[in-house]
Amino acid sequence: MVTKQLSGTPENADLARADSLAREIFSDVANKWALLIIEALGERTLRFGEVRSEVDGISHKMLTQNLRMLERNGLAQRKVHPTVPPKVEYTLTEPGLALRETVHRMCDWTHRYIDHIETSRDRFGAADTP
Amino acid sequence: MVTKQLSGTPENADLARADSLAREIFSDVANKWALLIIEALGERTLRFGEVRSEVDGISHKMLTQNLRMLERNGLAQRKVHPTVPPKVEYTLTEPGLALRETVHRMCDWTHRYIDHIETSRDRFGAADTP
DNA sequence: CCGCATCCGTTTGGATACTG
DNA sequence: CAGTATCCAAACGGATGCGG
């Protein structure tokens, strides 16, 4: 299991809990929108609408939902300016920035193997890519 | 957008296509089950049922579905032994192994920040973690 | 043992509208 | 502009059965 490595010696009960928590965090984070948002934010501070236009394709609802999740996990910070019209800014925290590093790795990976993958898809018999 | 960096200078049409393809691959790969399977396979060759018991929680259907996807993208190789009962083995390819590296980074990240995240969740007001 | 198909409940995600 | 709620379609995901 993925989280196996997280616990050096899986021998006591604390680790079982940590493992389950790790699984939960992993599930939160290992999804398309969350990773795209983290990437979009980068080292900048963006307003809600700015993130929205950066991510492109994401709906209002999904953005809100995922930003909430990131905030809850302490990956992004939410700064509300009590003005009118409202202005809400989001910034990645240290953990968020660290996670972003791994997203970069995944992007690099995509870049490196995109040709290989395309070829593989062709060979497999592409009849389902609209 | 995440895939922005994939195209050094986003100026011609080829890159737009590559970008869309990158997005598609990213969506395929950036999901819980796919990453867990890749991690489970590791450098070993496992039979269908072995993967199933490694990943734990995954259903027959989801496993099949994701293994097909990994095969289609050339991330995993499928070896059928025409015996009875059938024996089908799966192995990560080079690209698959490379992707696995990034999964490891994500696991390391989880390990490093799990406490921070747990604390953050508590502060946020944990009323929804069953 | 493995793969494919089917049924079906659950969840996700988009569109819209309303509030502050 | 941002957040919340509602409605509804689509996709996900589990269980089961048959076929190779």
Side-chain angles (χ1 to χ4, degrees):
Chain A
M1 165 166 158
V2 152
T3 52
K4 200 68 78 48
Q5 61 156 323
L6 296 175
S7 2
T9 45
E11 229 95 62
N12 62 60
D14 266 3
L15 293 179
R17 194 186 52 68
D19 206 50
S20 130
L21 180 58
R23 282 289 290 268
E24 202 182 317
I25 294 171
F26 193 87
S27 297
D28 266 9
V29 145
N31 88 67
K32 184 178 148 187
W33 292 131
L35 297 181
L36 288 170
I37 291 170
I38 287 171
E39 176 61 20
L41 274 172
E43 301 169 344
R44 302 173 293 173
T45 292
L46 294 181
R47 299 185 58 176
F48 182 88
E50 292 172 333
V51 181
R52 186 151 165 51
S53 51
E54 281 291 324
V55 173
D56 137 300
I58 195 170
S59 69
H60 188 112
K61 185 183 178 180
M62 282 302 101
L63 183 53
T64 307
Q65 209 168 91
N66 281 278
L67 282 173
R68 278 278 169 286
M69 181 273 285
L70 293 178
E71 190 193 358
R72 187 172 102 91
N73 290 324
L75 273 43
Q77 201 189 357
R78 181 164 170 266
K79 175 79 178 178
V80 182
H81 299 262
T83 62
V84 45
K87 179 177 173 181
V88 183
E89 292 179 324
Y90 293 91
T91 317
L92 288 186
T93 60
E94 218 286 276
L97 285 168
L99 178 55
R100 185 165 176 264
E101 292 299 314
T102 74
V103 180
H104 273 316
R105 310 258 183 196
M106 250 170 97
C107 288
D108 290 345
W109 173 85
T110 308
H111 179 232
R112 199 173 335 157
Y113 291 102
I114 189 167
D115 289 342
H116 187 290
I117 291 173
E118 195 175 16
T119 306
S120 177
R121 284 185 174 196
D122 290 347
R123 272 204 313 267
F124 196 80
D128 42 22
T129 41
Chain B
M1 165 168 156
V2 153
T3 52
K4 201 65 81 46
Q5 62 156 322
L6 296 175
S7 3
T9 47
E11 230 94 59
N12 62 61
D14 266 4
L15 292 180
R17 194 187 52 67
D19 206 52
S20 130
L21 180 58
R23 283 287 290 268
E24 202 182 317
I25 294 170
F26 194 87
S27 297
D28 266 10
V29 146
N31 90 66
K32 184 176 147 187
W33 292 132
L35 296 182
L36 287 171
I37 291 170
I38 287 171
E39 176 63 19
L41 274 172
E43 303 169 342
R44 301 172 294 171
T45 292
L46 294 182
R47 299 185 58 176
F48 182 88
E50 292 172 332
V51 181
R52 186 150 164 54
S53 52
E54 281 290 325
V55 173
D56 136 300
I58 195 170
S59 69
H60 188 111
K61 184 185 181 179
M62 284 300 102
L63 183 53
T64 307
Q65 211 168 88
N66 280 278
L67 283 173
R68 277 278 167 284
M69 182 272 286
L70 293 177
E71 189 192 359
R72 186 172 102 92
N73 290 324
L75 272 44
Q77 202 190 357
R78 182 163 169 267
K79 176 80 179 177
V80 182
H81 299 263
T83 60
V84 46
K87 179 177 174 183
V88 184
E89 291 180 324
Y90 293 90
T91 318
L92 288 185
T93 60
E94 218 286 276
L97 285 169
L99 178 56
R100 185 164 177 264
E101 291 299 313
T102 76
V103 180
H104 272 317
R105 310 258 183 196
M106 251 170 96
C107 289
D108 288 346
W109 173 86
T110 308
H111 177 233
R112 197 171 338 157
Y113 290 102
I114 190 166
D115 289 342
H116 187 291
I117 291 173
E118 195 175 18
T119 305
S120 177
R121 284 185 173 196
D122 290 347
R123 270 203 315 267
F124 196 79
D128 42 24
T129 40

